[in-house]
Amino acid sequence: MLWGLKPVEQKAAHGLALESIRRSIFLGLLLPDERMASERRLAEQIGISRVTLREALSVLESEGFIKIKRGASGGAFVASENALRQMAENQASAQTTEVLRITEFREHVEPMAARLAAIRRSPADLKQIDEALSGLTNATSLGEVRQGEAAFHLSVARASGNRFLADGLEDAMGAVLLPFPLGDVATEARSSLTLRQAVAGAIRGRNEQRASDAMTAALVEDRKRLPSRQVA
C-alpha cells in the first residue's frame, strides 16, 4: 500500500448533512432541547435542498438525537438532556476503546495547543476564549457547561495558530457524544470554570509552561467522566 492513498468514500448529500448536524450535537454546540433553525435556514447553512435535509433529520430522529414536532410551533429539536446523557453513557460503554483513544489524543495535543496559544494568541483569540468562559460563568444546565467547555477547547486550539491541531481536535471531539458532567450544575460549572480560567490566564500572560500544565489538569478532571473500565 502506498502511503497517502486511501479509499474514496462516496457520500450522499444527506449523509454529509447528517454528519454536520450530528457533530454539532456531539460537540455540545447544540444544546439539549434546543430548537434548531428552520428547515429553510438550515438547508441554506449546510448548502443542501430541503428535501435532502428532511432525509438527514429523519435519520437523526430515528437515532434519537433529535425529535421532530409538527404544527405551527413545531420544528426539529435536539433530544433532552437525560436522553443525550444516556446515549453518551451507552456510547462510552460500547465504544470504550474509541473513546479512550480520543482521550489519549486530546491529552497529548491540547497541552501543546495551549503552549502555542500562549505564544501566538491574538486579541481576537483572547476574545473568543473569554466568550467561552462567559458561557461557563452563565451556565444554568449541564448542557450549557458542556457547550462552554467545547467552545473553550476549540478556541484555544484555534489560538495555537496551527490549523492541523485545531481541525484534528474538532474531529476528535466530534467523533463521539461527549460525556456530560457528573455533578450538579453549580458545582460542575464552578469547577470547570476554575480549571479553564487557569489555562486562559496563562495564555493571556504568555506563560507557555503554565498554559500546558493547566490544560493537562483540566483534561485529567475530564477523564473522570469516562466509565471506569479501561482498555490498553
Side-chain angles (χ1 to χ4, degrees), residues 12-15 17-18 48-62:
H14 83 273
L18 182 64
I48 57 174
S49 70
R50 292 172 70 174
V51 172
T52 301
L53 175 63
R54 287 189 199 111
E55 291 180 44
L57 293 178
S58 178
V59 173
L60 287 167
E61 184 178 35
S62 69

Side-chain angles (χ1 to χ4, degrees), residues 5-74:
L5 294 181
K6 298 179 181 179
V8 176
E9 283 190 65
Q10 298 293 336
K11 291 185 179 178
H14 83 273
L16 296 173
L18 182 64
E19 282 187 8
S20 177
I21 299 170
R22 191 190 282 134
R23 172 179 288 210
S24 292
I25 296 173
F26 281 12
L27 285 168
L29 301 179
L30 284 173
L31 290 170
D33 293 313
E34 180 176 345
R35 182 176 185 170
M36 298 169 64
S38 67
E39 245 185 35
R40 180 177 179 179
R41 186 177 173 192
L42 198 54
E44 288 175 352
Q45 288 176 339
I46 301 174
I48 57 174
S49 70
R50 292 172 70 174
V51 172
T52 301
L53 175 63
R54 287 189 199 111
E55 291 180 44
L57 293 178
S58 178
V59 173
L60 287 167
E61 184 178 35
S62 69
E63 292 175 341
F65 292 116
I66 67 169
K67 52 197 177 216
I68 297 175
K69 298 180 181 179
R70 314 295 174 188
S73 59

Side-chain angles (χ1 to χ4, degrees), residues 50-212:
R50 292 172 70 174
V51 172
T52 301
L53 175 63
R54 287 189 199 111
E55 291 180 44
L57 293 178
S58 178
V59 173
L60 287 167
E61 184 178 35
S62 69
E63 292 175 341
F65 292 116
I66 67 169
K67 52 197 177 216
I68 297 175
K69 298 180 181 179
R70 314 295 174 188
S73 59
F77 295 78
V78 180
S80 69
E81 187 173 296
N82 286 339
L84 290 177
R85 178 189 293 279
Q86 187 59 58
M87 283 188 279
E89 290 174 0
N90 292 343
Q91 195 172 64
S93 297
Q95 302 179 45
T96 310
T97 301
E98 178 82 355
V99 171
L100 286 175
R101 296 299 174 260
I102 291 168
T103 302
E104 288 171 355
F105 176 82
R106 292 187 63 189
E107 290 174 347
H108 281 81
V109 166
E110 291 201 64
M112 182 191 301
R115 180 185 290 274
L116 291 173
I119 300 170
R120 301 171 178 168
R121 91 292 189 279
S122 67
D125 292 326
L126 291 177
K127 183 179 179 182
Q128 276 200 328
I129 290 171
D130 287 343
E131 286 174 354
L133 291 177
S134 293
L136 284 171
T137 300
N138 300 320
T140 58
S141 69
L142 292 176
E144 288 179 349
V145 172
R146 195 165 153 271
Q147 183 186 58
E149 290 175 348
F152 176 81
H153 287 273
L154 294 174
S155 295
V156 171
R158 293 188 193 105
S160 74
N162 187 319
R163 69 179 178 87
F164 299 105
L165 285 178
D167 290 348
L169 178 61
E170 185 172 342
D171 286 344
M173 292 177 65
V176 296
L177 187 57
L178 293 176
F180 278 76
L182 302 173
D184 64 273
V185 177
T187 301
E188 290 293 340
R190 185 167 56 250
S191 173
S192 181
L193 179 63
T194 299
L195 287 164
R196 286 160 181 82
Q197 281 176 329
V199 180
I203 290 173
R204 186 178 296 277
R206 296 192 183 279
N207 191 319
E208 304 163 42
Q209 188 59 52
R210 193 154 61 89
S212 175

Side-chain angles (χ1 to χ4, degrees), residues 218-232:
L219 293 170
V220 166
E221 287 302 307
D222 285 357
R223 180 183 268 267
K224 295 177 182 178
R225 297 174 186 174
L226 300 178
S228 57
R229 180 183 164 209
Q230 298 291 311
V231 176

